[in-house]
Amino acid sequence: MAGAGEDAGMDAVQKRLMFEDECILVDEQDNVVGHESKYNCHLMEKIESENLLHRAFSVFLFNSKYELLLQQRSATKVTFPLVWTNTCCSHPLYRESELIQENYLGVRNAAQRKLLDELGIPAEDVPVDQFTPLGRMLYKAPSDGKWGEHELDYLLFIVRDVKLLSNPDEVADVKYVSREQLKELISKADAGEDGLKLSPWFRLVVDNFLMGWWDHVEKGTLSEAIDMETIHKLK
C-alpha cells in the first residue's frame, strides 16, 4: 500500500471512504471470492498484479418525461474527477445487506444507499423493488497513472420522479437529458469541447445498450430487455 505521503493531496472525505469501505471481490463469473479496501481495488498496480475485480453498479434513473438524470463527478473524486456519467455509479460493500444474491437485493440496497449519499434522494423515492437489473458488464479502465477501475457492473434502471439534494463531496453538477440532448453531449465529448468528458463505463453502456433500452423505458417494457445470464466483457 502506498505511504501516507503519497496520498497527502487526497480529499479527506474521499480518503476516509477509500480506507473504510470494503468492496466485494468477485471472479469473472461474479462469484464472491473475498473483499478488499476501496483503495486497493482502485490501484492500477493492484488491479494488474493481483487481477482484483470488484462488484459495482450503475443506476440509470429516468423521470416521468423519460429524461435520464446525469451527474458530473466532483473534483475531489479519486477516479475520473469532473467526468459526466449516469445517475449514480458505486459499489455494494462487503456487508450482509449488500451481499444478498436473491433477486439482486444486495446490489439494489447499495444503489438505494448511494442515491441518498450522493444525490440526497430519499429511500422512499427509490424503493428497492423498483430497480430493474437489466444486465451485467465487465470492464477495465485506467483513470490516470495510479488509479483505475476493474469492475463487474450491474446495470440498474428505474423510472421515478425524485427529490434531489446533491452532496458536493460526491457530485459537482446534475442535469436531466433527453435522447437528443445526450447525443449532443456525446458529440461535444468526442470533439473535446469545453473539456467535457464522459466516464468509460457510461460510454460503454451508451455504445452497446442504452438507446435500445431507452425504447423499453418509454414503452414500459423494460422486463423484455432483461438479460442477467450474460456477463458482457467490454473494452
Side-chain angles (χ1 to χ4, degrees), residues 28-82:
E28 292 194 353
Q29 288 71 50
D30 199 20
N31 300 303
V32 176
V33 296
H35 56 95
E36 187 54 87
S37 70
K38 183 178 175 183
Y39 185 102
N40 281 343
C41 284
H42 292 85
L43 273 179
M44 284 308 296
E45 177 187 355
K46 288 277 189 182
I47 290 170
E48 298 292 1
S49 65
E50 301 179 24
N51 197 33
L52 293 185
L53 174 65
H54 61 276
R55 189 175 286 167
F57 64 83
S58 290
V59 174
F60 293 74
L61 184 147
F62 297 82
N63 62 19
S64 56
K65 294 188 286 186
Y66 306 125
E67 296 169 323
L68 174 62
L69 179 62
L70 303 183
Q71 69 155 276
Q72 184 184 30
R73 292 162 66 84
S74 79
T76 59
K77 296 290 279 188
V78 174
T79 57
F80 303 100
L82 294 177

Side-chain angles (χ1 to χ4, degrees), residues 143-154:
S143 175
D144 55 24
K146 180 175 181 178
W147 305 103
E149 297 284 5
H150 190 208
E151 297 186 328
L152 202 154
D153 195 7
Y154 283 67

